[in-house]
Amino acid sequence: MRPFAAKTVIMAVLAIALAIPGQAMAARTPPPPEVVTTFTPFDPNYNYLENGSAYISYSGNGKASLWGDSIATRRVDTVGIQLVLQRWTGSEWIDVYAGEKAEMSNASRMNTTIDNLSVSSGYYYRAKSTHWITYGNTKEDGTRYSSTLLIPDKEKSDQGDASLQSVEKPWK
């Protein structure tokens, strides 16, 4: 095959692939690197902070929600969580919204939700969660991240595509 013909065939295949609906969303940045997390969410030497999680979901119309929980191994003096919405710039994650610190006394679990956060199409977002417990003189803390979520173009989000949510909200 002549070089010109080969280039024409490749360009035609690429054009067709991009024209197929649902095959690509217009991202304004390259995708972020995948985060590899350890099996144990926090320091294995911790006695009281057992687990924590963070989730992000997209509800359409430029709005996202965050949800997270902190779990202790037993009832502790305080258990807390703070959620942060982060956006990928193409080279780093930046904080775009920090929620209030949510704390509960004499408890073993704490969860919180932040709804109606404004997000822009074409950007990758994730939830960052900071978890902590205090028990007597002991303080244990750790950080977790949700999966990433690419916010679709407005036209695609108005179609109600269920694949746009990165994770299901566990309380539904």
Side-chain angles (χ1 to χ4, degrees):
M1 187 178 263
R2 295 187 321 222
F4 177 74
K7 287 181 185 175
T8 303
V9 169
I10 291 171
M11 294 301 288
V13 169
L14 288 174
I16 292 169
L18 290 174
I20 298 171
Q23 293 299 310
M25 287 192 245
R28 296 180 187 203
T29 66
E34 288 192 37
V35 176
V36 178
T37 58
T38 59
F39 179 72
T40 305
F42 303 116
D43 186 330
N45 295 318
Y46 281 176
N47 293 314
Y48 306 109
L49 184 57
E50 180 175 17
N51 205 342
S53 57
Y55 301 91
I56 184 170
S57 64
Y58 182 66
S59 57
N61 298 319
K63 299 294 181 186
S65 297
L66 306 180
W67 182 88
D69 67 344
S70 295
I71 302 170
T73 59
R74 57 164 292 144
R75 203 174 280 269
V76 292
D77 296 336
T78 58
V79 59
I81 184 171
Q82 182 179 27
L83 297 174
V84 176
L85 177 67
Q86 293 188 315
R87 184 178 68 225
W88 178 248
T89 65
S91 60
E92 67 178 336
W93 287 102
I94 59 168
D95 295 351
V96 294
Y97 179 84
E100 298 287 324
K101 290 182 177 181
E103 235 177 28
M104 188 173 282
S105 298
N106 195 27
S108 62
R109 183 181 198 128
M110 174 68 199
N111 63 56
T112 190
T113 304
I114 305 171
D115 291 318
N116 295 315
L117 294 171
S118 294
V119 291
S120 300
S121 64
Y123 287 99
Y124 293 90
Y125 289 86
R126 73 178 180 185
K128 173 185 174 183
S129 56
T130 303
H131 309 266
W132 66 90
I133 65 89
T134 57
Y135 186 62
N137 292 328
T138 302
K139 180 170 181 171
E140 299 172 350
D141 58 39
T143 302
R144 299 291 286 165
Y145 300 93
S146 72
S147 57
T148 61
L149 177 64
L150 174 59
I151 304 302
D153 295 332
K154 181 157 178 32
E155 309 82 58
K156 290 181 181 159
S157 67
D158 288 343
Q159 295 172 2
D161 185 355
S163 67
L164 300 178
Q165 293 191 352
S166 65
V167 285
E168 299 269 330
K169 290 182 181 178
W171 63 92
K172 282 191 172 182

PDB file of all heavy atoms in Angstrom, residues 147-170:
ATOM      1  N   SER A 147     -12.644   6.956  42.857  1.00  0.00           N
ATOM      2  CA  SER A 147     -12.291   6.809  41.448  1.00  0.00           C
ATOM      3  C   SER A 147     -12.481   8.169  40.774  1.00  0.00           C
ATOM      4  O   SER A 147     -13.110   9.065  41.331  1.00  0.00           O
ATOM      5  CB  SER A 147     -13.185   5.751  40.795  1.00  0.00           C
ATOM      6  OG  SER A 147     -14.536   6.115  40.947  1.00  0.00           O
ATOM      7  N   THR A 148     -11.941   8.317  39.573  1.00  0.00           N
ATOM      8  CA  THR A 148     -12.085   9.588  38.860  1.00  0.00           C
ATOM      9  C   THR A 148     -13.354   9.565  38.016  1.00  0.00           C
ATOM     10  O   THR A 148     -13.862   8.512  37.646  1.00  0.00           O
ATOM     11  CB  THR A 148     -10.873   9.878  37.966  1.00  0.00           C
ATOM     12  OG1 THR A 148     -10.762   8.848  36.990  1.00  0.00           O
ATOM     13  CG2 THR A 148      -9.604   9.958  38.786  1.00  0.00           C
ATOM     14  N   LEU A 149     -13.834  10.751  37.714  1.00  0.00           N
ATOM     15  CA  LEU A 149     -15.068  10.906  36.960  1.00  0.00           C
ATOM     16  C   LEU A 149     -14.873  12.008  35.933  1.00  0.00           C
ATOM     17  O   LEU A 149     -14.525  13.134  36.292  1.00  0.00           O
ATOM     18  CB  LEU A 149     -16.201  11.281  37.928  1.00  0.00           C
ATOM     19  CG  LEU A 149     -17.572  11.566  37.347  1.00  0.00           C
ATOM     20  CD1 LEU A 149     -18.148  10.317  36.691  1.00  0.00           C
ATOM     21  CD2 LEU A 149     -18.512  12.045  38.438  1.00  0.00           C
ATOM     22  N   LEU A 150     -15.047  11.694  34.641  1.00  0.00           N
ATOM     23  CA  LEU A 150     -14.986  12.689  33.577  1.00  0.00           C
ATOM     24  C   LEU A 150     -16.383  13.246  33.376  1.00  0.00           C
ATOM     25  O   LEU A 150     -17.321  12.500  33.084  1.00  0.00           O
ATOM     26  CB  LEU A 150     -14.466  12.061  32.278  1.00  0.00           C
ATOM     27  CG  LEU A 150     -14.484  12.954  31.037  1.00  0.00           C
ATOM     28  CD1 LEU A 150     -13.639  14.217  31.247  1.00  0.00           C
ATOM     29  CD2 LEU A 150     -13.999  12.174  29.818  1.00  0.00           C
ATOM     30  N   ILE A 151     -16.524  14.553  33.544  1.00  0.00           N
ATOM     31  CA  ILE A 151     -17.836  15.193  33.385  1.00  0.00           C
ATOM     32  C   ILE A 151     -18.111  15.343  31.891  1.00  0.00           C
ATOM     33  O   ILE A 151     -17.304  15.925  31.163  1.00  0.00           O
ATOM     34  CB  ILE A 151     -17.884  16.567  34.099  1.00  0.00           C
ATOM     35  CG1 ILE A 151     -17.510  16.411  35.575  1.00  0.00           C
ATOM     36  CG2 ILE A 151     -19.258  17.212  33.921  1.00  0.00           C
ATOM     37  CD1 ILE A 151     -18.382  15.461  36.362  1.00  0.00           C
ATOM     38  N   PRO A 152     -19.231  14.807  31.407  1.00  0.00           N
ATOM     39  CA  PRO A 152     -19.523  14.811  29.970  1.00  0.00           C
ATOM     40  C   PRO A 152     -19.963  16.183  29.471  1.00  0.00           C
ATOM     41  O   PRO A 152     -20.302  17.070  30.258  1.00  0.00           O
ATOM     42  CB  PRO A 152     -20.672  13.809  29.852  1.00  0.00           C
ATOM     43  CG  PRO A 152     -21.373  13.927  31.161  1.00  0.00           C
ATOM     44  CD  PRO A 152     -20.286  14.166  32.184  1.00  0.00           C
ATOM     45  N   ASP A 153     -19.962  16.297  28.139  1.00  0.00           N
ATOM     46  CA  ASP A 153     -20.522  17.499  27.525  1.00  0.00           C
ATOM     47  C   ASP A 153     -21.992  17.587  27.884  1.00  0.00           C
ATOM     48  O   ASP A 153     -22.646  16.581  28.115  1.00  0.00           O
ATOM     49  CB  ASP A 153     -20.380  17.432  25.998  1.00  0.00           C
ATOM     50  CG  ASP A 153     -18.930  17.447  25.556  1.00  0.00           C
ATOM     51  OD1 ASP A 153     -18.097  18.020  26.283  1.00  0.00           O
ATOM     52  OD2 ASP A 153     -18.638  16.888  24.489  1.00  0.00           O
ATOM     53  N   LYS A 154     -22.525  18.802  27.915  1.00  0.00           N
ATOM     54  CA  LYS A 154     -23.904  19.013  28.338  1.00  0.00           C
ATOM     55  C   LYS A 154     -24.880  18.158  27.537  1.00  0.00           C
ATOM     56  O   LYS A 154     -25.783  17.567  28.087  1.00  0.00           O
ATOM     57  CB  LYS A 154     -24.283  20.487  28.231  1.00  0.00           C
ATOM     58  CG  LYS A 154     -25.710  20.753  28.684  1.00  0.00           C
ATOM     59  CD  LYS A 154     -25.905  22.165  29.098  1.00  0.00           C
ATOM     60  CE  LYS A 154     -27.296  22.502  29.517  1.00  0.00           C
ATOM     61  NZ  LYS A 154     -28.100  21.517  30.142  1.00  0.00           N
ATOM     62  N   GLU A 155     -24.687  18.076  26.216  1.00  0.00           N
ATOM     63  CA  GLU A 155     -25.617  17.303  25.386  1.00  0.00           C
ATOM     64  C   GLU A 155     -25.651  15.847  25.835  1.00  0.00           C
ATOM     65  O   GLU A 155     -26.687  15.234  25.903  1.00  0.00           O
ATOM     66  CB  GLU A 155     -25.205  17.328  23.907  1.00  0.00           C
ATOM     67  CG  GLU A 155     -24.931  18.682  23.320  1.00  0.00           C
ATOM     68  CD  GLU A 155     -23.520  19.189  23.620  1.00  0.00           C
ATOM     69  OE1 GLU A 155     -22.517  18.533  23.281  1.00  0.00           O
ATOM     70  OE2 GLU A 155     -23.423  20.270  24.216  1.00  0.00           O
ATOM     71  N   LYS A 156     -24.479  15.278  26.162  1.00  0.00           N
ATOM     72  CA  LYS A 156     -24.434  13.873  26.571  1.00  0.00           C
ATOM     73  C   LYS A 156     -25.050  13.694  27.948  1.00  0.00           C
ATOM     74  O   LYS A 156     -25.691  12.707  28.214  1.00  0.00           O
ATOM     75  CB  LYS A 156     -22.996  13.375  26.547  1.00  0.00           C
ATOM     76  CG  LYS A 156     -22.470  13.265  25.144  1.00  0.00           C
ATOM     77  CD  LYS A 156     -21.075  12.758  25.128  1.00  0.00           C
ATOM     78  CE  LYS A 156     -20.607  12.688  23.679  1.00  0.00           C
ATOM     79  NZ  LYS A 156     -19.198  12.684  23.546  1.00  0.00           N
ATOM     80  N   SER A 157     -24.859  14.663  28.858  1.00  0.00           N
ATOM     81  CA  SER A 157     -25.405  14.501  30.206  1.00  0.00           C
ATOM     82  C   SER A 157     -26.915  14.614  30.199  1.00  0.00           C
ATOM     83  O   SER A 157     -27.583  14.038  31.028  1.00  0.00           O
ATOM     84  CB  SER A 157     -24.796  15.535  31.159  1.00  0.00           C
ATOM     85  OG  SER A 157     -25.217  16.840  30.814  1.00  0.00           O
ATOM     86  N   ASP A 158     -27.485  15.357  29.232  1.00  0.00           N
ATOM     87  CA  ASP A 158     -28.931  15.492  29.168  1.00  0.00           C
ATOM     88  C   ASP A 158     -29.605  14.216  28.669  1.00  0.00           C
ATOM     89  O   ASP A 158     -30.804  14.056  28.788  1.00  0.00           O
ATOM     90  CB  ASP A 158     -29.317  16.663  28.248  1.00  0.00           C
ATOM     91  CG  ASP A 158     -29.000  18.003  28.881  1.00  0.00           C
ATOM     92  OD1 ASP A 158     -28.800  18.041  30.119  1.00  0.00           O
ATOM     93  OD2 ASP A 158     -28.945  19.006  28.155  1.00  0.00           O
ATOM     94  N   GLN A 159     -28.827  13.300  28.112  1.00  0.00           N
ATOM     95  CA  GLN A 159     -29.398  12.055  27.611  1.00  0.00           C
ATOM     96  C   GLN A 159     -29.620  11.041  28.719  1.00  0.00           C
ATOM     97  O   GLN A 159     -30.158   9.978  28.483  1.00  0.00           O
ATOM     98  CB  GLN A 159     -28.479  11.460  26.543  1.00  0.00           C
ATOM     99  CG  GLN A 159     -28.387  12.330  25.313  1.00  0.00           C
ATOM    100  CD  GLN A 159     -27.332  11.816  24.350  1.00  0.00           C
ATOM    101  OE1 GLN A 159     -26.707  10.798  24.585  1.00  0.00           O
ATOM    102  NE2 GLN A 159     -27.142  12.535  23.268  1.00  0.00           N
ATOM    103  N   GLY A 160     -29.185  11.343  29.933  1.00  0.00           N
ATOM    104  CA  GLY A 160     -29.421  10.445  31.057  1.00  0.00           C
ATOM    105  C   GLY A 160     -28.605   9.177  31.008  1.00  0.00           C
ATOM    106  O   GLY A 160     -29.057   8.133  31.437  1.00  0.00           O
ATOM    107  N   ASP A 161     -27.398   9.234  30.492  1.00  0.00           N
ATOM    108  CA  ASP A 161     -26.541   8.063  30.374  1.00  0.00           C
ATOM    109  C   ASP A 161     -26.122   7.592  31.760  1.00  0.00           C
ATOM    110  O   ASP A 161     -25.391   8.268  32.454  1.00  0.00           O
ATOM    111  CB  ASP A 161     -25.321   8.432  29.529  1.00  0.00           C
ATOM    112  CG  ASP A 161     -24.422   7.241  29.249  1.00  0.00           C
ATOM    113  OD1 ASP A 161     -24.664   6.142  29.781  1.00  0.00           O
ATOM    114  OD2 ASP A 161     -23.472   7.439  28.498  1.00  0.00           O
ATOM    115  N   ALA A 162     -26.570   6.412  32.175  1.00  0.00           N
ATOM    116  CA  ALA A 162     -26.276   5.898  33.514  1.00  0.00           C
ATOM    117  C   ALA A 162     -24.800   5.612  33.712  1.00  0.00           C
ATOM    118  O   ALA A 162     -24.324   5.557  34.830  1.00  0.00           O
ATOM    119  CB  ALA A 162     -27.093   4.629  33.777  1.00  0.00           C
ATOM    120  N   SER A 163     -24.044   5.455  32.615  1.00  0.00           N
ATOM    121  CA  SER A 163     -22.620   5.150  32.747  1.00  0.00           C
ATOM    122  C   SER A 163     -21.818   6.351  33.212  1.00  0.00           C
ATOM    123  O   SER A 163     -20.634   6.243  33.452  1.00  0.00           O
ATOM    124  CB  SER A 163     -22.062   4.652  31.412  1.00  0.00           C
ATOM    125  OG  SER A 163     -22.074   5.705  30.461  1.00  0.00           O
ATOM    126  N   LEU A 164     -22.450   7.495  33.367  1.00  0.00           N
ATOM    127  CA  LEU A 164     -21.722   8.684  33.775  1.00  0.00           C
ATOM    128  C   LEU A 164     -21.401   8.686  35.255  1.00  0.00           C
ATOM    129  O   LEU A 164     -20.565   9.438  35.700  1.00  0.00           O
ATOM    130  CB  LEU A 164     -22.529   9.939  33.434  1.00  0.00           C
ATOM    131  CG  LEU A 164     -22.844  10.099  31.954  1.00  0.00           C
ATOM    132  CD1 LEU A 164     -23.689  11.329  31.740  1.00  0.00           C
ATOM    133  CD2 LEU A 164     -21.584  10.166  31.136  1.00  0.00           C
ATOM    134  N   GLN A 165     -22.058   7.871  36.039  1.00  0.00           N
ATOM    135  CA  GLN A 165     -21.754   7.814  37.467  1.00  0.00           C
ATOM    136  C   GLN A 165     -20.608   6.854  37.693  1.00  0.00           C
ATOM    137  O   GLN A 165     -20.630   5.730  37.216  1.00  0.00           O
ATOM    138  CB  GLN A 165     -22.981   7.369  38.258  1.00  0.00           C
ATOM    139  CG  GLN A 165     -24.084   8.399  38.210  1.00  0.00           C
ATOM    140  CD  GLN A 165     -25.176   8.086  39.186  1.00  0.00           C
ATOM    141  OE1 GLN A 165     -25.194   7.036  39.796  1.00  0.00           O
ATOM    142  NE2 GLN A 165     -26.088   9.010  39.358  1.00  0.00           N
ATOM    143  N   SER A 166     -19.601   7.327  38.438  1.00  0.00           N
ATOM    144  CA  SER A 166     -18.427   6.484  38.646  1.00  0.00           C
ATOM    145  C   SER A 166     -18.714   5.354  39.627  1.00  0.00           C
ATOM    146  O   SER A 166     -18.199   4.274  39.483  1.00  0.00           O
ATOM    147  CB  SER A 166     -17.250   7.317  39.140  1.00  0.00           C
ATOM    148  OG  SER A 166     -17.521   7.838  40.412  1.00  0.00           O
ATOM    149  N   VAL A 167     -19.522   5.626  40.615  1.00  0.00           N
ATOM    150  CA  VAL A 167     -19.889   4.598  41.576  1.00  0.00           C
ATOM    151  C   VAL A 167     -21.306   4.857  42.047  1.00  0.00           C
ATOM    152  O   VAL A 167     -21.781   5.981  42.051  1.00  0.00           O
ATOM    153  CB  VAL A 167     -18.962   4.599  42.824  1.00  0.00           C
ATOM    154  CG1 VAL A 167     -17.617   4.013  42.494  1.00  0.00           C
ATOM    155  CG2 VAL A 167     -18.811   5.969  43.413  1.00  0.00           C
ATOM    156  N   GLU A 168     -21.961   3.822  42.424  1.00  0.00           N
ATOM    157  CA  GLU A 168     -23.294   3.955  43.004  1.00  0.00           C
ATOM    158  C   GLU A 168     -23.177   4.481  44.417  1.00  0.00           C
ATOM    159  O   GLU A 168     -22.235   4.134  45.136  1.00  0.00           O
ATOM    160  CB  GLU A 168     -23.974   2.589  43.041  1.00  0.00           C
ATOM    161  CG  GLU A 168     -24.175   1.961  41.681  1.00  0.00           C
ATOM    162  CD  GLU A 168     -25.502   2.341  41.096  1.00  0.00           C
ATOM    163  OE1 GLU A 168     -26.443   2.576  41.860  1.00  0.00           O
ATOM    164  OE2 GLU A 168     -25.589   2.400  39.870  1.00  0.00           O
ATOM    165  N   LYS A 169     -24.124   5.288  44.850  1.00  0.00           N
ATOM    166  CA  LYS A 169     -24.149   5.713  46.236  1.00  0.00           C
ATOM    167  C   LYS A 169     -24.554   4.506  47.080  1.00  0.00           C
ATOM    168  O   LYS A 169     -25.590   3.900  46.838  1.00  0.00           O
ATOM    169  CB  LYS A 169     -25.147   6.849  46.433  1.00  0.00           C
ATOM    170  CG  LYS A 169     -24.700   8.146  45.800  1.00  0.00           C
ATOM    171  CD  LYS A 169     -25.692   9.239  46.074  1.00  0.00           C
ATOM    172  CE  LYS A 169     -25.278  10.527  45.425  1.00  0.00           C
ATOM    173  NZ  LYS A 169     -26.247  11.587  45.648  1.00  0.00           N
ATOM    174  N   PRO A 170     -23.741   4.125  48.059  1.00  0.00           N
ATOM    175  CA  PRO A 170     -24.017   2.894  48.797  1.00  0.00           C
ATOM    176  C   PRO A 170     -25.277   2.961  49.668  1.00  0.00           C
ATOM    177  O   PRO A 170     -25.756   1.931  50.087  1.00  0.00           O
ATOM    178  CB  PRO A 170     -22.765   2.727  49.656  1.00  0.00           C
ATOM    179  CG  PRO A 170     -22.128   4.048  49.709  1.00  0.00           C
ATOM    180  CD  PRO A 170     -22.519   4.778  48.466  1.00  0.00           C
TER     181      PRO A 170
END
